[in-house]
Amino acid sequence: DYGVVGMLAIFFAFAEVFISSGLSMALIRKTDRTDRDFSTVFHFNLAVACAFYLVFYAISPLVARFYDMPVLERVMRVAALPMVISAATAVQNTRLTIDLRFKTQALIGLGSAVATGIVGIMLAYCGWGVWALVFQSVAGSLLRAVATWIASGWRPKKEFDIAAFKEMFAFGSRLLGAGMVNSIYQNMYSFVIGKFFNASELGLFNRASAYAGLPPGIVLGTVNKVCYPILARMKDDNAQLLSAYRQMLLIPAFVLFPAMFGIAVLAEPFVRATIGEKWLSCVPLLQILCFGGLWMPLTNINLSLLYVKGRSDIVLRLEFVKKTIAFSLVFASIPFGVAGMCVAKSAYELISCFFNCYYTKKLLGYGFWAQLKDHAPLLANTVFMSATVYFACRPLEGFPKIQLFAGVLLGAAVFMAVAAATKDSTFVFLFSALKQRLAQRKRSSS
């Protein structure tokens, strides 16, 4: 069932990128934006989404025949609906980001995830199969849309400014090109595995990819939302920009490095305890993909700097160079099976990071090796923590839930103890910020 849904991912991801066209980024970067600009982007997003939905509705029989899976025709027609719903809330989300209302966005995301998770589980237990996943997605989009419209308070007007659209599209079109290439690549694995292997192999890959992508998705989703609008205000002061930028690289890595290593070390008890024995084949895939996820903070935040500097031309150029390498790796890895494709995917993350850092060095004098040097103490702490957890928890292998629980607690304790003992700069910064926050709350309560 996960494999069936995964076969359609490349179509929807491509459409999502085209719908936004980089216009949300253009709105955030635009200092003199008006209500007319927001309405212009809203109407464009919605029109393109509706057009894509009609295309997907029409081609669904062809997609079903391509994969030789008749159920895909009906699944595609329903599963495409969240694309239209999301397009109707893109501008409202952008306004929340501009206003730095990240807490509101987090609450909306968490609330809808919990509610639709319950819906999906209930439908799965009732035997709805793949439709449990489809309707969970549709319900999630509807809930997020309603909550976002209420939270934003903004309503579109019946106006479309062609001049404003051309100005924003000049910046966003390059991001559109880069996003389309990246989106095709990100979903190419599902497309290739679905075609050359089978739905079961794709289901295993998608579960491993989803778990490996969860920590980077949460951390980077938060950091990128905060990072871009804040750095955009410093774009003309390189000294201030570099200082803030270095801190924004280290903070997500402080969370992500131990999380990814921890998942890799505890992958087997994690899978056994959460989704059961039948998914054990995804354990090695998950472990391989975790090492690729380590580089995502450097990759994404380095790219954000190019957005801030208005160099969407470099972003587009980079994507074409990187994805030429990426697609070569995808097809070269097919003979080595799904595990070989996961190795190729993780290797590409490191290659992508190296390329993005090249331009960071040119713009701010802070390249790949300088960034790696800053992260070296954190990486050493993470490796020590992982080795401790691995050897200490091996006697508990017959008790996956206890092993998982003990491993998480031990890993967190060891990592934080070493960070405190070595006076890690990020640990000191976060600890000071937490103390200050608690002091403020105490003063406000008294």
Side-chain angles (χ1 to χ4, degrees):
D1 292 332
Y2 278 104
V4 169
V5 174
M7 288 174 180
L8 302 175
I10 190 169
F11 299 97
F12 299 152
F14 179 82
E16 289 284 355
V17 173
F18 200 95
I19 290 165
S20 65
S21 307
L23 296 183
S24 294
M25 300 289 275
L27 277 172
I28 294 171
R29 190 175 183 276
K30 199 171 190 286
T31 53
D32 58 345
R33 52 188 170 260
T34 64
D35 201 53
R36 193 176 180 88
D37 295 332
F38 287 112
S39 294
T40 298
V41 173
F42 175 86
H43 293 304
F44 174 80
N45 286 349
L46 193 57
V48 174
C50 290
F52 264 107
Y53 181 80
L54 293 175
V55 170
F56 290 154
Y57 192 94
I59 69 170
S60 58
L62 301 176
V63 174
R65 281 201 293 272
F66 176 80
Y67 284 112
D68 194 25
M69 296 191 71
V71 71
L72 280 177
E73 179 177 348
R74 289 175 294 131
V75 169
M76 189 173 196
R77 290 175 174 178
V78 180
L81 288 172
M83 173 185 66
V84 180
I85 299 168
S86 296
T89 62
V91 170
Q92 284 84 349
N93 267 315
T94 300
R95 289 179 66 91
L96 292 175
T97 299
I98 291 170
D99 295 336
L100 305 181
R101 294 176 61 187
F102 306 116
K103 183 178 179 181
T104 301
Q105 290 174 300
L107 289 173
I108 291 171
L110 179 62
S112 63
V114 171
T116 57
I118 294 171
V119 170
I121 290 169
M122 288 174 62
L123 292 176
Y125 270 110
C126 291
W128 284 53
V130 69
W131 291 105
L133 300 174
V134 173
F135 287 124
Q136 178 187 3
S137 176
V138 174
S141 295
L142 283 170
L143 277 176
R144 284 191 297 273
V146 172
T148 303
W149 271 66
I150 293 171
S152 169
W154 179 82
R155 302 294 179 267
K157 295 181 172 56
K158 296 179 181 179
E159 52 187 11
F160 189 93
D161 190 329
I162 296 177
F165 175 77
K166 288 180 177 178
E167 179 190 348
M168 289 184 287
F169 194 73
F171 173 81
S173 59
R174 297 189 185 101
L175 300 186
L176 166 63
M180 285 169 61
V181 174
N182 186 56
S183 182
I184 292 171
Y185 164 72
Q186 292 295 340
N187 293 277
M188 180 59 69
Y189 287 93
S190 294
F191 180 81
V192 171
I193 293 170
K195 182 62 180 174
F196 288 93
F197 298 94
N198 55 56
S200 295
E201 292 276 9
L202 179 55
L204 291 169
F205 171 80
N206 280 350
R207 281 301 83 211
S209 184
Y211 284 136
L214 188 60
I218 294 171
V219 172
L220 293 175
T222 304
V223 170
N224 284 337
K225 283 179 181 178
V226 176
C227 176
Y228 184 64
I230 291 177
L231 292 181
R233 299 174 185 179
M234 308 174 185
K235 60 186 177 184
D236 298 320
D237 186 343
N238 280 353
Q240 186 183 17
L241 183 62
L242 177 59
S243 177
Y245 173 68
R246 291 180 72 172
Q247 195 68 63
M248 286 181 177
L249 279 174
L250 288 168
I251 291 174
F254 187 83
V255 177
L256 201 53
F257 277 25
M260 300 308 287
F261 267 85
I263 292 174
V265 170
L266 297 170
E268 186 171 333
F270 173 74
V271 169
R272 286 182 186 275
T274 54
I275 53 178
E277 301 279 337
K278 65 185 175 214
W279 288 95
L280 280 178
S281 297
C282 79
V283 167
L285 309 182
L286 173 57
Q287 291 171 323
I288 295 167
L289 292 173
C290 279
F291 290 102
L294 287 174
W295 306 102
M296 287 185 180
L298 297 181
T299 302
N300 283 265
I301 300 174
N302 275 281
L303 207 59
S304 292
L305 185 67
L306 296 177
Y307 297 151
V308 167
K309 285 292 188 179
R311 298 307 305 268
S312 55
D313 57 325
I314 294 179
V315 174
L316 180 58
R317 194 184 315 152
L318 267 173
E319 285 306 312
F320 278 111
V321 173
K322 291 187 300 182
K323 293 311 182 285
T324 300
I325 299 170
F327 289 125
S328 300
L329 287 172
V330 170
F331 291 105
S333 63
I334 291 174
F336 301 97
V338 179
M341 296 184 73
C342 289
V343 172
K345 193 172 191 296
S346 291
Y348 170 73
E349 293 298 339
L350 176 57
I351 294 169
S352 178
C353 174
F354 187 83
F355 272 93
N356 287 358
C357 291
Y358 172 78
Y359 283 100
T360 308
K361 184 175 182 179
K362 293 189 72 173
L363 292 171
L364 291 179
Y366 187 51
F368 177 81
W369 297 111
Q371 294 180 30
L372 196 60
K373 183 180 178 182
D374 281 351
H375 286 76
L378 176 60
L379 190 58
N381 182 2
T382 304
V383 170
F384 175 75
M385 175 271 292
S386 303
T388 303
V389 170
Y390 175 77
F391 288 109
C393 293
R394 285 188 71 180
L396 299 172
E397 283 181 353
F399 310 92
K401 292 182 180 179
I402 297 174
Q403 185 183 10
L404 178 62
F405 183 71
V408 171
L409 285 183
L410 178 62
V414 170
F415 180 80
M416 297 303 286
V418 172
T422 57
K423 297 183 179 178
D424 180 271
S425 60
T426 307
F427 174 82
V428 172
F429 173 80
L430 292 174
F431 186 70
S432 299
L434 179 62
K435 282 177 63 178
Q436 188 177 5
R437 180 73 171 171
L438 292 173
Q440 287 175 349
R441 284 191 175 183
K442 188 175 180 180
R443 285 196 297 269
S444 61
S445 63
S446 59

